[in-house]
Amino acid sequence: MHIRTATAATFGSLALLTLLAPAAQADTHKGDTAFTSVTFSKTTVNVGTSAVQKLTVTATAKDNSGIKLMAGLKLVSSDGRLQYANSSTCTRPTSTTMKCVWSYDLDPDGTDYFDLRNSSAGTWHLDVETAGYDGDFYTLDSSATMKIKRFAKLATTQATPEPVARGGKLTVTGALTRADWNTNAYVGFAAQKVALQFKKSGTSTYTTVKTVTTDSAGKLKTTTTANASGTWRWHFAGTGTTSSATASGDGVALK
């Protein structure tokens, strides 16, 4: 179990704690307060079944009267799941600006509310508010986004027979799985299009030969013609909620 706390980036600490996130709305603001930059250490984070993945967000805000605070510091999924920063560090580069760095742990452990669930995979947005000493403010609610995806794996490609006669038929198999954050296991990913690729011996570039759809258990099987010696592999481009994956190749020589 990983305990998370909501922290506030301010010299007079303010924490906003909620367990139910409102639906994403447009950014709102008053006066000259503004975020001048917001950056993510990764625009896509792929999370497996056990290892915690780290994400860092850096934001700078400006107001002519000076920035009084930043508060909120949470990531919100499309289905309303929250991730609060587990640490924050703020500095004042100038008299009118504040720069804050927040760290998040993205955990598939499944033992507390803040751990990831399958329904939350996809696009997340940063929710944070900053305020100036003159009462102006800016609420960043939907414009700063990134993706948190379920990690996918392709089993090592198997091509038989080895070696094969020129113009002979090869049977190529594999399997596509992805992380299930609800059960902390890898499960077959059904009905997905996966590219069978070939790299001729002596070259460095793979070319897609055909596209094969996984069965109900995520397994792949097809036949193809062997016209040259080289390496066969599977490649999955990924989806909006699942990472891409590339299998280890299997070299096949002609006899």
Side-chain angles (χ1 to χ4, degrees), residues 90-169:
C90 294
T91 57
R92 296 183 183 274
T94 71
S95 61
T96 60
T97 62
M98 177 180 281
K99 179 180 180 180
C100 293
V101 180
W102 311 304
S103 176
Y104 298 85
D105 285 345
L106 305 175
D107 190 356
D109 183 66
T111 56
D112 64 38
Y113 168 84
F114 294 99
D115 294 334
L116 297 173
R117 298 294 187 272
N118 292 341
S119 61
S120 301
T123 300
W124 292 58
H125 67 268
L126 179 67
D127 191 337
V128 62
E129 183 174 0
T130 188
Y133 284 104
D134 58 2
D136 293 344
F137 68 90
Y138 198 107
T139 300
L140 193 68
D141 190 38
S142 61
S143 61
T145 63
M146 51 84 63
K147 291 185 180 294
I148 301 175
K149 294 187 176 185
R150 297 164 65 179
F151 186 73
K153 298 192 296 185
L154 275 165
T156 299
T157 308
Q158 298 293 330
T160 57
E162 299 181 51
V164 64
R166 184 182 298 274
K169 293 295 183 181

Side-chain angles (χ1 to χ4, degrees), residues 225-253:
T225 302
N227 293 313
S229 297
T231 304
W232 297 86
R233 74 177 187 183
W234 296 103
H235 174 72
F236 175 59
T239 70
T241 60
T242 305
S243 75
S244 62
T246 301
S248 297
D250 190 9
V252 178

Side-chain angles (χ1 to χ4, degrees), residues 6-142:
T7 57
T10 174
F11 289 94
S13 184
L14 171 66
L16 301 180
L17 288 170
T18 60
L19 288 184
L20 294 176
Q25 302 172 9
D27 294 352
T28 57
H29 62 91
K30 172 189 173 185
D32 68 336
T33 303
F35 285 95
T36 58
S37 69
V38 178
T39 59
F40 297 91
S41 58
K42 298 178 181 179
T43 55
T44 299
V45 183
N46 301 317
V47 185
T49 60
S50 58
V52 174
Q53 299 298 312
K54 302 287 186 179
L55 175 68
T56 301
V57 182
T58 303
T60 300
K62 181 178 181 179
D63 185 280
N64 287 341
S65 69
I67 296 295
K68 183 178 181 180
L69 58 85
M70 289 192 202
L73 322 183
K74 58 183 178 286
L75 292 171
V76 186
S77 71
S78 58
D79 69 347
R81 184 163 296 277
L82 306 181
Q83 291 286 331
Y84 283 103
N86 54 37
S87 67
S88 65
T89 302
C90 294
T91 57
R92 296 183 183 274
T94 71
S95 61
T96 60
T97 62
M98 177 180 281
K99 179 180 180 180
C100 293
V101 180
W102 311 304
S103 176
Y104 298 85
D105 285 345
L106 305 175
D107 190 356
D109 183 66
T111 56
D112 64 38
Y113 168 84
F114 294 99
D115 294 334
L116 297 173
R117 298 294 187 272
N118 292 341
S119 61
S120 301
T123 300
W124 292 58
H125 67 268
L126 179 67
D127 191 337
V128 62
E129 183 174 0
T130 188
Y133 284 104
D134 58 2
D136 293 344
F137 68 90
Y138 198 107
T139 300
L140 193 68
D141 190 38
S142 61

Side-chain angles (χ1 to χ4, degrees), residues 150 175-178 187-194 212-220 236 239 242:
R150 297 164 65 179
L176 175 65
T177 59
R178 63 172 173 169
V187 297
F189 197 6
Q192 299 303 304
K193 294 185 181 301
V194 181
V212 181
T213 301
T214 57
D215 67 13
S216 59
K219 294 183 178 180
L220 293 154
F236 175 59
T239 70
T242 305

